[in-house]
């Protein structure tokens, strides 16, 4: 069993789904240590969205929109949980009809044999822990990915349109990309050899590109960029960033799907890359603007977490250091200089941090997964692996951008995406939810 197969959680389902190659290797046996760790990791990943991301984003918007952003995170958590158990898990991880090296419909998306969690019982196992835990663990990934997109269109999208967009996007974009990367032999990007340990492609590039398309389709916020739109509570943002940092150990180390050495190394490289990115962003901002900011270091933290995600199971400590520094500096310039130059209104830098950080991490995984550079992957030809990683990035960018654009344009024609000027001026908290974040 290769390290790449350990990295892809989808392959673990082969121990629970009849007919796959790994089922022939061993009969799964419940391991209480692995089960305990995966239960913990699952809770940590959910903690990343609520309250982590809700606070991180909530602090960055204006006070009149703080509840709307938090409400969106909570509503997405509920919606994705239900869609996941009804059909999402099946679309992402049903392996019926898949065969290594054969491209067919099942290479792009799963079927419905696992719809409504058919066959998932207290006794069914994925690797050495209950399949129910695997279902919930992957559910938390399906929750945070669309929630990340919220940062790109914050302060201007109708709540009703947001819910419908997220449901369709989850169905047509998230589930197929997760299937293509993680579901094992016969899946498109799996067969290409794309390395994505915990979601650099599936989660961050996917959400970042969708966010960029969304902010372009909706247009700029009223008054942007001439009207000051400073974050109303950076204390929330720093607390949210801290929660994301802690929760990310579940995200990355949990993706080892066992309490083992791979999980331990994933935890270590996650810490190294995140610290390096935080410092990289901080010093780049310090040099560029004369002062380091709290918002900057919080953004650098998330950039490092994003970039190390695809690499966490295959790179070593020094590779993580380079990936972290690169992501911190590159994301800083993309979230500031590039955004100003191109003029798009990515409200909370979902694309600048998640999209760009995911791309940086995905490509550099192909470099630092090589044992020759201290990695633990099976990369012999670095150039060839970098091309595979780049091909995976390009495919995801193009697929996500096109499908997201079509979904948004159709919804805009049918129901309208954006609140009117009066609602935007009053704030989404009061206009959309009849509440205020602060009653003084």
């Amino acid at each position: 069993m290769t390290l790449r197969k350990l990295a892809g959680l989808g392959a673990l389902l082969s121990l629970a789904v009849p007919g796959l190659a790994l089922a022939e290797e061993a009969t799964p046996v419940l391991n209480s240590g692995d089960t305990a760790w995966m239960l913990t990791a699952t809770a940590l990943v959910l903690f990343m969205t609520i309250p982590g991301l809700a606070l991180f984003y909530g602090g960055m918007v204006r006070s009149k929109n703080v509840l709307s952003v938090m409400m969106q995170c909570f509503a997405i958590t509920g919606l994705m949980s239900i869609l996941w158990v009804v059909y999402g898990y099946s679309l992402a991880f049903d392996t019926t009809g898949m065969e290594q090296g054969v491209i067919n419909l099942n290479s792009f998306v799963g079927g419905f044999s696992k719809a409504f969690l058919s066959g998932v019982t207290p006794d069914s196992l994925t690797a050495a822990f209950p399949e129910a835990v695997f279902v919930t663990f992957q559910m938390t990934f399906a929750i945070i990915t669309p929630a990340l997109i919220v940062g790109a269109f914050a302060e201007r999208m109708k709540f009703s349109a947001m819910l419908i967009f997220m449901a369709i996007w989850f169905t047509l974009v998230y589930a197929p990309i997760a299937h293509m990367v993680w579901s094992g032999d016969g899946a498109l990007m799996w067969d290409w050899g794309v390395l994505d340990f915990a979601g650099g492609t599936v989660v961050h590039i996917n959400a970042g590109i969708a966010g960029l398309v969304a902010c372009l389709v909706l247009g700029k916020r009223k008054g942007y960029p001439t009207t000051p739109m400073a974050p109303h509570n950076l204390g929330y943002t720093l607390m949210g960033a801290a929660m994301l940092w802690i929760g990310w150990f579940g995200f990355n180390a949990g993706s080892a799907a066992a309490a083992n050495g791979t999980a331990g190394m994933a935890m270590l490289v996650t810490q190294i890359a995140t610290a390096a990115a935080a410092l990289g962003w901080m010093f780049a901002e310090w040099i560029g603007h004369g002062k380091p900011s709290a918002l900057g270091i919080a953004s650098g933290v998330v950039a490092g977490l994003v970039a190390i995600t695809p690499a966490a199971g295959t790179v070593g400590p020094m590779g993580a250091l380079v990936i972290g520094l690169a992501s911190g500096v590159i994301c800083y310039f993309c979230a500031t200089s590039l955004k100003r130059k191109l003029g798009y209104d990515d409200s909370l830098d979902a694309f600048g941090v998640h999209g760009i950080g995911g791309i940086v991490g995905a490509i550099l995984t192909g470099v630092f997964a090589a044992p020759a550079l201290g990695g633990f992957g099976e990369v012999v030809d670095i150039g060839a692996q970098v091309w595979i990683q780049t091909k995976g990035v390009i495919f995801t960018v193009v697929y996500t951008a096109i499908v997201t654009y079509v979904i948004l344009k159709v919804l805009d024609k049918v129901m309208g995406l954006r609140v009117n000027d009066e609602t935007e001026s009053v704030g989404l908290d009061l206009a959309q939810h009849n509440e205020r974040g602060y009653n003084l």
Side-chain angles (χ1 to χ4, degrees):
M1 188 170 181
T2 66
L3 283 173
R4 189 172 82 81
K5 286 186 177 179
L6 282 172
L9 287 179
L12 297 172
L13 273 176
S14 59
L15 296 175
V17 180
L20 293 183
L22 290 181
E24 300 172 1
E25 294 183 8
T27 300
V29 177
L30 182 71
N31 181 291
S32 59
D34 290 347
T35 301
W37 165 234
M38 292 307 297
L39 287 165
T40 303
T42 300
L44 285 170
V45 182
L46 181 60
F47 184 72
M48 290 168 61
T49 305
I50 49 171
L53 187 67
L55 282 168
F56 182 73
Y57 278 171
M60 285 196 280
V61 296
R62 290 167 288 180
S63 59
K64 62 184 180 181
N65 294 311
V66 57
L67 290 182
S68 72
V69 170
M70 292 183 170
M71 176 68 174
Q72 288 170 9
C73 289
F74 272 80
I76 287 169
T77 300
L79 179 62
M80 295 305 134
S81 297
I82 301 305
L83 295 181
W84 185 250
V85 301
V86 172
Y87 63 83
Y89 176 64
S90 193
L91 290 182
F93 290 108
D94 179 8
T95 56
T96 304
M98 292 171 58
E99 183 180 346
Q100 185 173 16
V102 176
I103 298 178
N104 54 32
L105 178 61
N106 301 116
S107 301
F108 298 90
V109 68
F112 291 97
S113 72
K114 289 281 183 177
F116 297 95
L117 301 189
S118 175
V120 177
T121 70
D123 297 322
S124 57
L125 299 180
T126 295
F129 57 92
E131 186 180 1
V133 177
F134 179 77
V135 170
T136 315
F137 181 70
Q138 283 295 332
M139 179 194 293
T140 61
F141 283 64
I143 287 168
I144 197 169
T145 306
L148 294 172
I149 305 172
V150 166
F153 57 70
E155 303 192 303
R156 59 197 188 274
M157 193 175 196
K158 293 178 182 177
F159 185 71
S160 56
M162 184 279 300
L163 286 174
I164 296 173
F165 165 69
M166 291 302 182
I168 299 172
W169 188 87
F170 164 80
T171 306
L172 300 182
V173 181
Y174 179 80
I177 293 292
H179 181 83
M180 285 185 262
V181 175
W182 281 338
S183 63
D185 291 342
L188 185 69
M189 285 188 269
W190 177 278
D191 280 0
W192 285 354
V194 172
L195 299 176
D196 186 4
F197 187 74
T201 301
V202 176
V203 176
H204 299 291
I205 298 175
N206 210 2
I209 295 301
L212 177 62
V213 173
C215 76
L216 291 173
V217 171
L218 267 78
K220 301 172 185 177
R221 287 169 290 178
K222 184 180 178 182
Y224 181 88
T226 54
T227 303
M229 297 181 180
H232 90 282
N233 193 327
L234 285 176
Y236 284 178
T237 298
L238 285 171
M239 286 189 287
M243 292 172 183
L244 286 167
W245 193 336
I246 294 167
W248 223 285
F249 292 120
F251 205 72
N252 286 355
S255 293
N260 59 16
T262 301
M265 183 57 68
M267 175 172 280
L268 174 60
V269 298
T270 297
Q271 181 68 16
I272 292 169
T274 306
L279 294 177
W281 188 303
M282 183 186 77
F283 283 113
E285 184 180 40
W286 204 340
I287 293 168
H289 293 280
K291 293 180 180 178
S293 71
L295 178 59
I297 199 167
S299 300
V301 163
V302 178
L305 292 166
V306 168
I308 196 60
T309 293
T314 52
V315 304
M318 295 305 100
L321 181 64
V322 176
I323 290 172
L325 284 171
S327 64
V329 173
I330 293 171
C331 288
Y332 163 72
F333 283 108
C334 290
T336 54
S337 302
L338 179 65
K339 185 168 76 168
R340 285 195 299 270
K341 184 175 181 179
L342 297 181
Y344 59 89
D345 185 13
D346 177 9
S347 308
L348 311 180
D349 296 315
F351 171 70
V353 173
H354 294 276
I356 297 298
I359 291 170
V360 169
I363 293 173
L364 290 183
T365 297
V367 177
F368 294 104
L373 294 177
F376 304 101
E378 298 179 344
V379 176
V380 177
D381 187 334
I382 293 175
Q385 188 62 46
V386 167
W387 166 240
I388 290 170
Q389 298 298 109
T390 303
K391 186 166 64 169
V393 168
I394 293 170
F395 179 89
T396 303
V397 168
V398 172
Y399 178 84
T400 301
I402 292 173
V403 179
T404 302
Y405 178 80
V406 171
I407 295 169
L408 288 168
K409 294 301 285 187
V410 170
L411 283 178
D412 196 26
K413 291 289 185 183
V414 172
M415 63 183 300
L417 293 171
R418 186 165 177 158
V419 299
N420 59 38
D421 287 350
E422 181 181 356
T423 296
E424 192 170 343
S425 296
V426 170
L428 272 62
D429 288 1
L430 191 60
Q432 295 273 290
H433 306 292
N434 199 32
E435 296 173 303
R436 288 187 176 93
Y438 307 96
N439 293 294
L440 302 177

